[in-house]
């Protein structure tokens, strides 16, 4: 049996619960947030000496779980710590000031500078929007099914483009969206799914662009479960952010920023206890 973990980080989101721990290398796992029994069982199996939690569901799990040494860290601090750790793992050096985007069930945008993170805005558009409207529009039973459909679709036959409005002399590039879902030349499920991803992605990118201008940065670092295995959304975000003059950096394990940040916060606490001679 492996030795007990020194620290376990948990991020309890509205849809998914993520955990992070080290056994030599960094490990990350996730479960549906509705299945807290499975999360508790995994924690018991790992037997961590210290647990640090973040996310909206942290209070629920903490109140009902028989765990010692469980503490919480703010979601924004956890995301900042986790993004920096995962970026370093990928060999990326984050700018001193940048935007950090948490694309989950909804979307939060943080301004990160000097190790501090402040929420500067966001939008209710996110993975929850894709799942809900995907079920209504195309009968997609899951986020994975919607993402797969979108990857095969073409939203140019669903959205009204600038080129559809201006035959010539368009004031902005002809391939840009003039109005989402306004053409509907196709109602094929794949095309509708791609158009839905376009609507969500473009609006997230435009929210980021406005905040980036106010914050004086041109770098947007993106993570969150909504981006995982969703190449169509990554493409829309990359293109739209690029058109506004922003560089988009996607973290490969960005879905786990919160959990990894909670882990790092716990490791710092444990290190401080060790220096003071306190039990871990």
């Amino acid at each position: 049996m492996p030795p007990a973990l020194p620290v376990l980080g948990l991020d309890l989101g509205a849809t998914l619960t993520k955990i992070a721990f080290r056994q030599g290398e960094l490990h990350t796992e996730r479960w549906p947030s509705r299945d807290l029994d499975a999360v508790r069982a995994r924690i018991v199996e790992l037997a961590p000496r210290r647990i640090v939690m973040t996310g909206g569901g942290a209070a629920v799990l903490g109140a009902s779980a028989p765990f010692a040494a469980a503490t919480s860290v703010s979601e924004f601090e956890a995301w900042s710590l986790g993004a920096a750790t995962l970026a370093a793992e990928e060999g990326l050096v984050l700018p001193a000031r940048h935007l950090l985007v948490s694309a989950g069930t909804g979307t939060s945008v943080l301004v990160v500078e000097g190790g501090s993170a402040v929420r500067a805005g966001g939008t209710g558009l996110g993975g929850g929007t894709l799942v809900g409207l995907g079920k209504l529009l195309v009968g997609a039973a899951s986020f994975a099914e919607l993402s797969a459909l979108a990857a095969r679709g073409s939203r140019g036959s669903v959205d009204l483009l600038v080129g559809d409005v201006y035959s010539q002399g368009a004031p902005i590039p002809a391939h840009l969206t003039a109005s989402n879902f306004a053409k509907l030349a196709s109602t094929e499920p794949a095309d509708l799914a791609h158009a839905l991803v376009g609507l969500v992605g473009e609006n997230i990118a435009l929210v980021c662009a406005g905040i980036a201008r106010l914050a004086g940065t041109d770098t947007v670092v993106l993570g969150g479960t909504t981006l995982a295995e969703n190449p169509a959304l990554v493409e829309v975000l990359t293109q739209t952010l690029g058109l506004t003059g922003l560089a988009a950096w996607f973290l490969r394990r960005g879905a786990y920023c919160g959990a990894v940040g909670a882990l790092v916060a716990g490791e710092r606490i444990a290190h401080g206890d060790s220096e003071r001679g306190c039990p871990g």
Side-chain angles (χ1 to χ4, degrees), residues 169-197:
I172 55 178
H175 66 278
L176 296 184
T177 305
S179 181
N180 299 93
F181 282 84
K183 186 189 295 183
L184 281 182
S186 169
T187 56
E188 288 296 317
D191 296 337
L192 293 173
H194 194 222
L196 176 56
V197 166

Side-chain angles (χ1 to χ4, degrees), residues 28 64 69 78 151 192 210 216 220:
T28 52
S64 62
L192 293 173
V220 182

Side-chain angles (χ1 to χ4, degrees), residues 11-230:
D11 178 9
L12 295 102
T15 304
L16 293 171
T17 290
K18 287 79 66 178
I19 71 171
F21 57 93
R22 298 188 200 271
Q23 283 181 332
E25 60 184 22
L26 177 63
H27 294 266
T28 52
E29 301 173 1
R30 68 185 185 185
W31 290 266
S33 289
R34 64 179 179 274
D35 192 4
L36 287 184
D37 287 341
V39 177
R40 294 187 187 95
R42 182 56 172 150
I43 294 173
V44 169
E45 180 183 9
L46 291 169
R49 290 196 293 269
R50 183 186 304 274
I51 300 169
V52 178
M53 299 180 288
T54 193
V60 175
L61 183 65
S64 62
F67 310 131
T71 57
S72 296
V73 62
S74 80
E75 196 167 353
F76 305 148
E77 179 184 354
W79 258 79
S80 177
L81 288 172
T85 300
L86 291 170
E89 180 184 70
E90 297 179 22
L92 299 174
V93 179
L94 299 181
R97 173 181 286 215
H98 58 275
L99 294 193
L100 177 58
V101 179
S102 169
T105 305
T107 303
S108 283
V109 182
L110 314 179
V111 176
V112 179
E113 183 176 21
S116 68
V118 177
R119 187 180 189 275
T123 172
L125 295 172
T129 313
L130 293 174
V131 171
L133 290 181
K135 187 174 182 179
L136 288 172
L137 285 172
V138 299
S142 67
F143 179 79
E145 182 179 344
L146 179 74
S147 298
L149 274 173
R152 302 195 301 268
S154 173
R155 64 192 182 102
S157 56
V158 178
D159 295 339
L160 186 71
L161 306 180
V162 171
D164 297 321
V165 179
Y166 290 88
S167 58
Q168 58 184 1
I172 55 178
H175 66 278
L176 296 184
T177 305
S179 181
N180 299 93
F181 282 84
K183 186 189 295 183
L184 281 182
S186 169
T187 56
E188 288 296 317
D191 296 337
L192 293 173
H194 194 222
L196 176 56
V197 166
L199 183 151
V200 170
E202 286 177 345
N203 281 279
I204 289 174
L206 292 174
V207 168
C208 291
I211 295 172
R213 288 193 180 92
L214 292 173
T217 181
D218 60 4
T219 302
V220 182
V221 181
L222 300 105
T225 52
T226 301
L227 303 175
E229 299 177 13
N230 195 342

